[in-house]
Amino acid sequence: ATPVTSWARATPTEPYDYYPFVVQGEIEAIDSSLMHPAEGCSWQGLAGQVFNMRGAPVLYVGVQIGGRFNGRDINEYILTGYGPDYVEYGFEYKLGEQPLASDGTLWVRLVDQQFLPLSHKVYLTTTTDCTRNLILVNFKQIK
C-alpha cells in the first residue's frame, strides 16, 4: 500500500499570486441532501465555481481532482459549465456513495487545455459527517 505520507500537504514554492486563479473565500462543507435530496447520506462530493475578475462565472475552465481517496488514486479532469443547476456554470464531482474521512490526501486545482496549472493545488479535508459531505470550493481570477 502507498504510505499516506506520500500525499502529505505541500507548501507551495510559488507566491500566492503566482497563478491567475486563487481560492475565493473559505472552503465550506455542507449537507449534500440540500442539493441531492434523494441521495441523503449515500453521497459525497466536491463542487464549485470559477469567477473572472469582474465576478462573473467562467465556462469551460479545467478542474483537476487528484490525490488519494478511499484507498484509490484519483486523477480526474472536468470542466466548469457541466455542473448541476445549483452552481451556475460550475462543476461537481462525486467522490463516493458514503461520507469518508480524509485529511490532505485529496486536492483540486484549475488547469488549462494543456493541463498546465492555473491555480495552486488546494488540499481538502473530508469527514464522515452526513451534514458536511459536499465540499464547496470556488476560485477567482486575480490577473
Side-chain angles (χ1 to χ4, degrees):
T2 304
V4 174
T5 55
S6 68
W7 298 101
R9 294 179 190 266
T11 303
T13 55
E14 301 90 2
Y16 175 76
D17 62 354
Y18 178 81
Y19 295 111
F21 290 90
V22 297
V23 171
Q24 178 180 16
E26 296 292 320
I27 297 172
E28 297 182 51
I30 65 170
D31 186 341
S32 72
S33 67
L34 298 169
M35 309 309 165
H36 296 279
E39 304 291 339
C41 198
S42 299
W43 195 92
Q44 185 170 36
L46 166 69
Q49 292 174 286
V50 178
F51 298 96
N52 66 19
M53 292 193 322
R54 293 187 205 125
V58 183
L59 280 171
Y60 313 124
V61 175
V63 180
Q64 183 181 20
I65 301 152
R68 190 159 178 83
F69 185 76
N70 192 20
R72 71 183 202 278
D73 292 332
I74 295 178
N75 186 16
E76 296 291 331
Y77 174 81
I78 56 178
L79 292 173
T80 62
Y82 294 102
D85 294 338
Y86 70 90
V87 283
E88 182 183 16
Y89 304 128
F91 65 90
E92 181 183 77
Y93 179 75
K94 182 177 179 180
L95 293 168
E97 295 181 355
Q98 70 181 44
L100 298 172
S102 70
D103 186 15
T105 60
L106 184 66
W107 53 263
V108 61
R109 71 175 168 190
L110 301 182
V111 294
D112 67 15
Q113 292 176 348
Q114 286 80 39
F115 297 97
L116 297 174
L118 295 173
S119 73
H120 286 288
K121 289 180 180 177
V122 178
Y123 290 87
L124 306 172
T125 298
T126 62
T127 73
T128 58
D129 185 345
C130 291
T131 65
R132 298 175 42 84
N133 57 344
L134 174 58
I135 301 170
L136 301 176
V137 181
N138 293 321
F139 292 89
K140 67 178 178 179
Q141 184 179 15
I142 58 169
K143 58 180 172 180

